[in-house]
Amino acid sequence: MTPKGKKNREQTVTLDAAEMKSVLMEQPDFLVPVVQEAVQAILEVEMAECLQAGKHERNDQRLGYRSGYYRRRLITRVGTLVLRVPQDRAGHFSTQVFEQYQRSEKALVAALAQMYVQGVSTRKVAAITEELCGHGFSASSISAITGRLDAQLAEFSQRPLTEAFPYVILDARYERVREGGVIVSRAMLVALGIDWEGRRQVLAVEYANRESQSSWRDFLVHLKDRGLHDVLFVVSDDHPGLKAAIREVLPGVWWQRCYVHFLRNALDYLPRKADDDCLQELRWMYERRNVDEARRDLKQWLEKWATKYPKLCAWVEANIEETWTFYRLPLAHHKHLKSTNLLERFNQEIKRRTLVVRIFPDEASCLRLVRAVAAEQHEEWMEGSRYLNADLLREATQPMKTNLAIAA
């Protein structure tokens, strides 16, 4: 290309970019056609999968025939999409796009609508709902949305747990709720499980006045009533009530104290200007291949720091074995199960949604939104790839099961 041609091309690109910027500034809803095209493409793919054939495709595996379209509006954060939903002659096709896309958004709208009842101005509620969903909702619409959503979430939270979950992760997060005109902090108890296929699942999300042995016991008993069984390994923090409830309801399981929480607790036994190398060397013990290597490093660590930090060393020596239970598991599972990080990441997604509301008007609206996020995450995990290879756990536990059978 000649220098002159190259210059003309650069000018054209510059002009196109300028024109594009001008168009975008003039059309604040420019994302609508982009998202609309993407969602429309998903609908076409779903129909092709349902019929086992694309448009005008001839094959022996075809399960039916198309029968035109019907129009459907979908309210999203970028605006209102007008979609052409495909139909088949037998009426078998059903898309999951609408409910999956809007479930958590509906919960958020319901919570915001209830804020109005508690005295928040209509203008503020309307502005927030329109900003989030691109559309304002009437009181009757909110009531209908809430009713349908509550029924779906109740079904999700009460579903039978038919398969076994060898790994269970437990934790609680706190949300601010208005009760009797007073703002209080209430616990949301959460349980995640990993099944024998290596897939993550949200097992339960429940509301509690506070974390206590009784609230955690009721939470775990309810899980067992729904079918939770054959739990091998539980990860949690060191909350006394939770530990006691695990021993009572799930006797015999291997309990792993989250090492991240343990390292945070260690700061209580260190002066503010402590040597950073001390905790860093302690952290390295969780990267060893087995518990024997970790114990060897602990011995050296205690010899090095006992004189300088006697309180810390005494506390670590008395408690660190609780954080090494994960060494009983296959090596490939160590990074996933030595902490509650999986649940912490899930809690971050909940926090991202609940920060919009800030203070929930009541228990129902809080539980509704958190469960909606949980159901959304659960579906994403079930449709995604496996989190870990559970066959490694089968191989590791087979000798133990054989010995138990012989003893019986």
Side-chain angles (χ1 to χ4, degrees), residues 10-115:
E10 290 176 348
Q11 289 177 341
T12 302
V13 172
T14 303
L15 287 174
D16 289 344
E19 291 174 359
M20 184 179 297
K21 182 177 180 180
S22 175
V23 170
L24 296 183
M25 293 296 290
E26 294 173 359
Q27 300 180 2
D29 58 347
F30 71 94
L31 279 176
V32 171
V34 177
V35 177
Q36 182 168 300
E37 184 175 348
V39 177
Q40 186 68 53
I42 292 172
L43 293 173
E44 298 296 342
V45 169
E46 283 187 330
M47 174 57 86
E49 290 176 349
C50 176
L51 300 181
Q52 295 295 299
K55 275 188 175 181
H56 313 300
E57 180 182 348
R58 298 176 181 274
N59 64 52
D60 297 334
Q61 289 75 40
R62 176 182 284 276
L63 301 179
Y65 295 89
R66 292 172 177 260
S67 181
Y69 296 82
Y70 70 90
R71 289 189 176 276
R72 165 71 188 266
R73 296 169 72 250
L74 176 64
I75 308 301
T76 72
R77 288 181 176 88
V78 301
T80 302
L81 313 183
V82 180
L83 301 168
R84 299 172 65 245
V85 183
Q87 304 177 93
D88 65 303
R89 294 179 185 177
H92 292 156
F93 175 68
S94 176
T95 177
Q96 299 297 313
V97 168
F98 304 121
E99 289 303 321
Q100 288 184 5
Y101 192 91
Q102 289 187 295
R103 183 184 290 112
S104 61
E105 200 163 77
K106 288 175 182 176
L108 190 55
V109 171
L112 290 167
Q114 291 187 35
M115 290 171 63

Side-chain angles (χ1 to χ4, degrees), residues 28 85-86 103 115 122 146 307 385:
V85 183
R103 183 184 290 112
M115 290 171 63
T122 308
T146 301
T307 302
S385 58

Side-chain angles (χ1 to χ4, degrees), residues 355-373:
L355 275 177
V356 178
V357 181
R358 295 181 60 195
I359 300 172
F360 286 90
D362 54 32
E363 170 189 338
S365 62
C366 179
L367 188 58
R368 181 182 299 121
L369 179 53
V370 176
R371 277 184 175 169
V373 177

Side-chain angles (χ1 to χ4, degrees), residues 212-281:
S212 65
Q213 181 177 347
S214 60
S215 63
W216 275 115
R217 182 181 61 245
D218 293 344
F219 180 78
L220 293 175
V221 167
H222 184 54
L223 277 172
K224 291 192 73 173
D225 290 343
R226 287 171 50 205
L228 181 67
H229 63 283
D230 294 341
V231 178
L232 175 66
F233 184 91
V234 175
V235 191
S236 75
D237 61 18
D238 188 43
H239 189 279
L242 175 52
K243 287 173 60 178
I246 291 172
R247 287 194 298 267
E248 180 181 349
V249 183
L250 300 172
V253 301
W254 297 341
W255 176 64
Q256 164 70 26
R257 179 176 178 176
C258 173
Y259 89 98
V260 176
H261 286 83
F262 179 80
L263 293 175
R264 290 174 188 163
N265 296 151
L267 294 173
D268 296 337
Y269 299 88
L270 280 172
R272 289 186 178 181
K273 296 183 178 180
D275 194 321
D276 291 339
D277 290 343
C278 178
L279 282 184
Q280 183 59 52
E281 292 173 10

